[in-house]
Amino acid sequence: MSGTIIDGKKNAIDLRRRIKSATNNLKSKYGITPGLAVVLVGNDPASEIYVRNKGIQTKEAGMESLEFRLAEDASEDNLLKKVEELNNDNSVNGILVQFPVPKHMSQQKIIETILPLKDVDGLHPVNAGYLASGLKGMVPCTPQGAALLIKETLGELSGLHAVVVGRSNLVGKPIAQLLLKENCTVTICHSRTKDLKETCLSADILVAAVGIPELIKEDWVKPGATVIDVGINRLDAPEKGPGKTKLVGDVDYNGAIKIASSITPVPGGVGPMTIACLLLNTLIATCAQNNIEFSELGF
Ligand code: NAD
């Protein structure tokens, strides 16, 4: 028997359609168009692709997309000034600085300069604190997308044992918080965890957010578990031709799908949900900044 494939692409399209409709409601009721500003430093090819896709999907959702580019050797001060400018610009509701930034810039300093209310990446310590306290705030996009897929797949999560492998501020910790909020019993594993395989085997929901290709093997998965693979690893794929590459997750997909009841593929699983959740955060931020109840938008 084979597990069900959780279709992140389809879920993301549905979510973006609902966001577009709510954005239209915001425009017609209040005459407000959400604005998302993305700042890119340098010209890392992968970041260029992410930023381009974000711009396209932002416009498709009926929002204003603003793009700002700084040279690779721009000073940190220059970038922080740009962020301050966007903080003070009323037409900008969400600010995202595309990471990674060049080594001479402090990622943490940048995160802390963005106004928490415009921090659509959800990385500001104020927003991390809200999430840890079970309060409303901006939730990081990829974990939010992963949690939406889990809810969509399983419905009620109360009492289930969720094992999250990875404890980064960007992915592992926020996913753990979101699952805790859903009344899961949550175990967080990391590079120093002993008995990783045994812990994974006890998971009803197994989330992998590590960055090691196919770390989680078929015999680490409990029969009937839901497996969420956040990992994105680019590997050489000589079988596809010279110089070709392929994406794989942190889970041995072909093995795990035989054991799991449902599983996200890579690509096409959690990945597509990230930009959709960025747009959702932009809409939520716009409402919060204008004292509008989000529920009024019929989302
Ligand atoms: P990170 O490097 O910041 O964190 C990795 C975590 O894995 C750490 O907490 C570390 O303790 C843990 N770890 C490392 N080796 C381990 C081991 N052998 N056993 C158990 N745990 C181990 O990475 P991140 O930013 O959290 O990203 C994780 C993965 O998710 C990466 O593959 C990344 O590309 C992917 N990612 C995807 C999206 C998306 O879908 N849009 C977004 C962000 C990250």
Side-chain angles (χ1 to χ4, degrees):
M1 229 187 67
S2 177
T4 309
I5 299 169
I6 302 171
D7 189 344
K9 250 189 199 167
K10 182 184 170 298
N11 272 275
I13 289 169
D14 287 348
L15 182 55
R16 295 208 313 268
R17 191 168 350 101
R18 293 173 58 209
I19 293 166
K20 183 176 183 168
S21 150
T23 302
N24 282 339
N25 289 345
L26 179 72
K27 283 187 201 175
S28 56
K29 263 188 167 173
Y30 297 97
I32 296 169
T33 301
L36 173 62
V38 176
V39 185
L40 176 62
V41 187
N43 31 30
D44 171 64
S47 295
E48 294 265 5
I49 294 171
Y50 288 137
V51 168
R52 193 182 330 127
N53 287 339
K54 280 169 189 167
I56 292 168
Q57 294 186 26
T58 303
K59 285 180 204 147
E60 275 173 7
M63 299 180 185
E64 193 74 43
S65 167
L66 300 127
E67 232 177 85
F68 300 93
R69 285 166 182 268
L70 272 74
E72 177 84 22
D73 60 356
S75 69
E76 183 185 83
D77 224 35
N78 257 349
L79 175 59
L80 296 180
K81 272 192 191 127
K82 185 77 226 169
V83 171
E84 292 285 10
E85 209 180 281
L86 298 170
N87 279 344
N88 294 322
D89 183 338
N90 286 337
S91 69
V92 171
N93 304 104
I95 302 170
L96 182 148
V97 176
Q98 184 66 45
F99 292 139
V101 284
K103 287 200 171 56
H104 64 277
M105 296 181 173
S106 154
Q107 192 159 306
Q108 193 57 30
K109 212 171 186 179
I110 296 161
I111 289 170
E112 291 183 26
T113 304
I114 297 172
L115 265 185
L117 258 182
K118 295 191 176 186
D119 167 40
V120 282
D121 247 348
L123 297 175
H124 194 289
V126 165
N127 282 316
Y130 283 142
L131 182 59
S133 309
L135 299 170
K136 268 191 198 167
M138 289 289 128
V139 178
C141 305
T142 301
Q144 193 182 157
L148 287 173
L149 290 181
I150 296 170
K151 279 289 283 177
E152 175 70 23
T153 306
L154 291 175
E156 179 59 52
L157 306 183
S158 183
L160 295 179
H161 184 206
V163 173
V164 179
V165 188
R167 59 169 162 183
S168 70
N169 289 339
L170 180 63
V171 191
K173 278 184 208 154
I175 290 188
Q177 298 290 357
L178 289 167
L179 293 171
L180 200 55
K181 217 170 167 181
E182 292 292 334
N183 299 315
C184 288
T185 301
V186 180
T187 304
I188 304 178
C189 299
H190 47 79
S191 53
R192 308 289 174 87
T193 297
K194 291 177 180 152
D195 307 325
L196 183 60
K197 175 182 172 182
E198 281 66 31
T199 310
C200 290
L201 264 170
S202 69
D204 302 309
I205 300 167
L206 179 57
V207 181
V210 184
I212 299 180
E214 301 181 338
L215 172 78
I216 312 281
K217 311 286 181 239
E218 173 180 344
D219 62 349
W220 294 26
V221 177
K222 177 174 156 179
T226 294
V227 178
I228 304 294
D229 191 352
V230 184
I232 300 179
N233 308 287
R234 189 168 286 282
L235 300 183
D236 290 336
E239 72 277 9
K240 289 168 78 179
K244 294 284 181 196
T245 59
K246 63 177 177 185
L247 293 180
V248 301
D250 291 343
V251 177
D252 165 21
Y253 178 79
N254 291 327
I257 196 170
K258 292 187 252 165
I259 312 295
S261 67
S262 46
I263 184 167
T264 57
V266 176
V270 176
M273 294 296 284
T274 299
I275 298 184
C277 289
L278 174 69
L279 301 176
L280 182 57
N281 278 352
T282 304
L283 190 56
I284 292 170
T286 308
C287 287
Q289 288 156 34
N290 290 283
N291 292 317
I292 296 167
E293 279 296 326
F294 184 64
S295 56
E296 277 186 45
L297 301 184
F299 180 79

